[in-house]
């Protein structure tokens, strides 16, 4: 029974009220990562953990509280720990001299960046073994045999035919990893293809509470599809007659390096209260633990299709920290550039020790035309298997058929959940615009309201790029210009009508590749004098293996199950580069990770299949801030001629310049570290040039001939002069190094040709008549 007794009101002084939020923030506990850089001296794993706990003892009131607060103690290569701390405790630890950085774990900081593709980049698996040329890259690399690729993602579906291990050969002796058991997963799910699997969720559960096992498996098993897709893109076996739902993209599915061994590190998880189609979350402390284990397990390549929502400084970024420790062990690390395009300055993973990968198209389309009542035919794309009866249907714009309580604003035409009126939409084809909400969710809303089909219209930001989805009803997606034409038609007649044709797979489309509008773009906001992204690879409408516990749309009401699915994102392009790096590792096992990155960058292609420069989907010229050095060409990368090598200590000098002086206790920063544009990188960026700048580069001869002469040629950025000295390099043997300088000068007319904060782009190329070693340049004025 509720009490009727009156209480005397309590009043607090205003000064105390103002302090309450501050006091609350001091006592509120969150996960922080305390990072010390490299391990110093030889310590056992137990001694390392005891050392980490001693730091917690110093700020906690009891030993029991200190022990219970520790989530991870990073011990293999990374020196640090993740623990539950108050802001005050974290601040005290950050003041210690030996601490490199302390940063708070943020739940929304990281997310996943969601066969034909391999033929398109020149790794055609279609020919028979005995008909292949002996110098074919796959044969040279023995299909990636004995190379181990680790993937940080959201797990794997081990039963997929892409992960069969027949003919795989023995597991490399260097492998030290495990096959971790858990929900619906045990050691029998690993084999000679999937040689290891682990999962990490201490950070996730600290924030969200215990995992809801109806949302995800508490194990390395994939309930989403993304991790299965990326891992099969890297190293899936050849699977004949594979296709997406409805038979689209039918052919032989294969990873880029079909005989590599795969190690799965599940670090991304379903978000409670949110549909899987809206993405996952990945916590920095979980990823650091996974990378630390991967280094200890003995992987050779790491493929990480995860990015931040906004650029993050190197020592506050779990992926960046982990990747540099991996580089010290000569592990190649490839990461997604992100899916925040076409806005400039949005890219993730800008560290120079990471291969940062943008996304572009392949030469395949899934054409589903739209016929309007006025006779106009408009091309669209989809991979929905559903077909309309061949007749004309009433056509409406979503804003015309919304429910009575839906505001008539900009979102009314976007088919958001619950927005459409079944009375108005039933039996009609509904035109929905992109914007808020997911693409597949819009189709689900049309189906809920009784629509017979739907048209997904691009916004101007998406332009002409068409992402093919397996919608839950007949559908097609159209370019923004065509969306405007459809809307004009709808408004021009009292009874607009339309029909959506069944989709078909079309190969050899031109032009291809073009840049995906979603791919995050430069310039690099963390270090503008490092050009990022590095390269682009196939990332639009890519077919690969899928989880048997997820539908092709990931929608909760979609009960369809598929073996293979089509997905888009820099998540898809990253494993293409990861696979190419694995092949190069197999051919050149002694090369450094920097040499492999250089080979990929300097051999990339700049032209599409019409022989013209790469554009975006609308035909506008693309720049190195979208594609880096160009489109991935693995076969060229196997024999690059020259490489721009860089050592771990050069990356430490790079960090010294940025004020990070304690990363490695054995390394002492000089008083005047070199500027970032003097890092021996295979591209060149000079931001805010005032007058003249001279930088140095060193190349190593890796060409097969030994003796060679390389001539330089320059296409200078507009408004600048570029001088290379010496302009000719003479090499006498393989492994010989030669240095040169690049002097960039702003011409008097530069201010009239490019605006403030705008960049001009150019190219530096070395060639001996056989090899073409090309580097992009980006320059802006002060």
């Amino acid at each position: 029974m509720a009490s009727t007794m009156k209480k005397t009101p309590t009043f607090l002084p205003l000064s105390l009220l103002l302090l309450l939020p501050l006091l609350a923030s001091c006592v509120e506990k969150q996960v922080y990562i305390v990072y010390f850089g490299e391990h110093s001296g030889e310590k056992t794993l137990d001694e390392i953990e005891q050392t980490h706990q001693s730091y917690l003892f110093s700020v906690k009131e009891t030993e029991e509280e200190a022990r219970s607060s520790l989530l991870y103690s990073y011990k293999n290569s990374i020196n640090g720990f993740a623990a539950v701390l108050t802001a005050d405790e974290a601040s005290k630890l950050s003041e210690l001299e030996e601490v490199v950085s302390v940063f708070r774990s943020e739940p929304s900081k990281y997310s996943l960046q969601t066969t034909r593709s391999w033929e398109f980049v020149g790794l055609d698996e279609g020919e028979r073994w005995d008909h292949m040329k002996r110098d074919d890259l796959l044969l040279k690399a023995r299909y990636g045999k004995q190379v181990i690729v680790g993937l940080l993602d959201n797990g794997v579906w081990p039963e997929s035919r892409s992960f069969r291990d027949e003919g795989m050969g023995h597991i490399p002796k260097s492998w030290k990893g495990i096959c971790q058991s858990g929900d619906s997963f045990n050691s029998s799910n690993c084999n000679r293809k999937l040689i290891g699997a682990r999962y990490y969720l201490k950070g996730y559960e600290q924030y969200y509470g215990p995992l809801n096992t109806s949302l995800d498996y508490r194990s390395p098993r994939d309930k989403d599809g993304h991790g299965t897709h990326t891992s099969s893109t890297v190293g899936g076996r050849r699977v004949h007659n594979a296709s997406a739902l409805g038979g689209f993209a039918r052919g032989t599915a294969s990873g880029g390096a079909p005989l590599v061994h795969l190690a799965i590190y599940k670090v991304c998880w379903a978000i409670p209260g949110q549909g899987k189609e809206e993405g996952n979350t990945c916590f920095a402390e979980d990823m650091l633990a996974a990378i630390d284990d991967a280094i200890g397990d003995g992987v050779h390549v790491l493929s990480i299709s995860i990015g931040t929502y906004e650029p993050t400084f190197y020592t506050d970024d779990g992926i960046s920290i982990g990747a540099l420790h991996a580089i010290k062990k000569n592990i190649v690390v490839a990461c997604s550039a992100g899916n925040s395009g076409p806005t400039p300055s949005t890219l993730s993973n800008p560290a120079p020790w990471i291969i940062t990968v943008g996304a572009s198209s392949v030469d395949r389309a899934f054409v589903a035309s739209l016929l309007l009542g006025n006779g106009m035919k408009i091309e669209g794309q989809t991979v929905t298997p559903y077909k309309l009866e061949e007749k004309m249907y009433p056509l409406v714009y979503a804003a015309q058929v919304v429910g009575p309580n839906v505001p008539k604003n900009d979102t009314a035409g976007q088919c958001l959940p619950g927005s459409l009126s079944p009375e108005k939409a039933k039996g009609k084809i509904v035109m929905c615009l992109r914007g808020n909400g997911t693409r597949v969710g819009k189709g689900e809303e049309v189906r809920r309201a009784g629509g017979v089909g739907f048209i997904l219209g691009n916004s101007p930001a998406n332009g002409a790029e068409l992402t093919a989805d397996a919608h839950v009803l007949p559908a097609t997606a159209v370019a923004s210009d065509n969306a405007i034409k459809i809307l004009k038609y709808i408004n021009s007649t009292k009874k607009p009508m339309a029909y959506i044709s069944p989709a078909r797979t079309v190969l050899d489309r031109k032009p291809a590749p073009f840049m995906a509008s979603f791919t995050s773009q430069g310039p690099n906001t963390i270090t503008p004098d490092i050009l990022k992204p590095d390269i682009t690879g196939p990332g639009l409408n890519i077919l690969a293996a899928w989880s048997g516990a997820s539908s092709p749309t990931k929608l909760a009401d979609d009960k369809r199950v598929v073996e293979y699915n089509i997905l888009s994102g820099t998540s898809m392009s990253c494993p293409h580069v990861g696979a190419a790096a694995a092949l190069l590792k197999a051919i050149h096992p002694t090369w450094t990770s920097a040499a492999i990155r250089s080979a990929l960058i300097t051999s990339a292609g700049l032209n599409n299949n019409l022989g013209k420069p790469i554009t975006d989907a609308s035909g506008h010229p693309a720049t190195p801030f979208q594609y880096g050095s160009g489109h991935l060409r693995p076969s060229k990368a196997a024999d690059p001629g020259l490489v721009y090598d860089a050592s771990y200590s050069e990356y430490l000098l790079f960090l010294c310049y940025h004020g990070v002086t304690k990363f490695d206790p054995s390394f002492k920063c000089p008083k005047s570290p070199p500027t970032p544009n003097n890092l021996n990188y295979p591209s060149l960026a000079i931001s805010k040039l005032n007058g003249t700048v001279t930088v140095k580069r060193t190349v190593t001869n890796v060409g097969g001939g030994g003796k060679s002469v390389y001539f330089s040629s320059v296409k200078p950025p507009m408004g600048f002069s570029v001088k290379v000295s010496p302009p000719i390099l003479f090499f006498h043997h393989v492994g010989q190094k030669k240095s040169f300088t690049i002097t960039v000068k702003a011409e008097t007319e530069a201010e009239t040709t490019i605006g403030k904060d705008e960049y001009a782009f150019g190219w530096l190329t070395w060639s001996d008549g056989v090899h073409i070693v090309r580097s992009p340049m980006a320059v802006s004025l002060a």
Side-chain angles (χ1 to χ4, degrees), residues 510-527:
K510 293 181 173 64
F514 58 79
M515 293 308 302
S517 65
F518 58 73
T519 192
S520 294
Q521 297 191 20
N524 177 348
T525 58
I526 306 300
T527 308

Side-chain angles (χ1 to χ4, degrees), residues 34 47 213 278 281 283 287 303 330 344 352 401-402 466 494 497 519 639 649-650 722 726 750 782:
V34 181
E47 286 172 338
T213 51
E278 295 186 44
T281 186
F283 283 76
M287 291 191 293
S303 179
N330 209 25
V401 293
V402 292
L466 299 178
K494 288 184 179 179
M497 305 290 282
T519 192
D639 182 21
S649 61
E650 288 175 79
V722 178

Side-chain angles (χ1 to χ4, degrees), residues 578-615:
L583 295 175
L584 296 191
K585 196 87 173 171
I587 297 171
H588 305 290
T590 61
W591 279 14
T592 65
S593 59
I596 287 174
R597 180 177 60 246
S598 173
L600 291 166
I601 288 174
T602 62
S603 62
L606 290 178
N607 292 335
N608 58 31
N609 55 6
L610 290 174
K612 295 181 178 178
I614 294 172
T615 66

Side-chain angles (χ1 to χ4, degrees), residues 43-196:
K43 287 183 179 179
T44 66
L45 298 183
D46 284 342
E47 286 172 338
I48 292 169
E49 184 161 341
Q50 287 170 13
T51 301
H52 292 162
Q53 284 181 343
S54 71
Y55 284 101
L56 290 171
F57 296 158
S58 72
V59 295
K60 297 289 186 182
E61 291 187 2
T62 66
E63 286 194 12
E64 184 182 348
E65 188 187 357
R67 286 195 183 91
S68 64
S69 68
L70 183 66
L71 296 186
Y72 291 110
S73 176
Y74 308 123
K75 305 167 187 171
N76 288 317
S77 176
I78 300 165
N79 186 8
F81 60 84
V84 181
L85 302 168
T86 65
D88 189 46
E89 290 166 346
S91 178
K92 286 178 182 176
L93 289 171
S94 71
E95 292 166 3
L96 298 173
E97 186 181 345
E98 61 270 34
V99 173
V100 174
S101 63
V102 176
F103 57 99
R104 193 178 68 192
S105 171
E106 297 175 31
S108 57
K109 184 173 179 178
Y110 297 93
S111 65
L112 294 166
Q113 307 292 310
T114 271
T115 52
R116 179 72 185 170
S117 56
W118 285 115
E119 296 178 15
F120 188 60
V121 297
L123 285 182
D124 189 345
E125 267 274 65
E127 298 178 73
R128 288 171 48 130
W129 275 60
D130 54 349
H131 289 158
M132 284 182 140
K133 296 176 183 176
R134 293 305 302 171
D135 63 349
D136 182 87
L137 174 60
L138 283 166
L139 284 179
K140 277 184 183 175
R142 297 190 305 156
Y143 290 73
K145 198 172 182 181
Q146 292 294 294
V147 175
I148 304 166
V149 179
L151 291 103
L152 268 65
D153 215 293
N154 62 1
V156 69
W157 191 258
E159 290 81 9
S160 171
R161 290 182 289 163
S162 291
F163 305 125
R164 302 185 326 272
D165 69 349
E166 291 91 344
M168 276 295 300
H170 64 82
I171 294 172
K173 292 177 181 177
S174 59
W175 176 245
K176 298 182 180 69
I178 64 169
C179 193
Q180 187 177 2
S181 296
D183 185 10
S184 301
F185 197 97
N186 57 45
S187 59
S188 68
N189 291 119
C190 290
N191 57 21
R192 287 171 297 167
K193 163 58 73 177
L194 291 174
I195 62 172

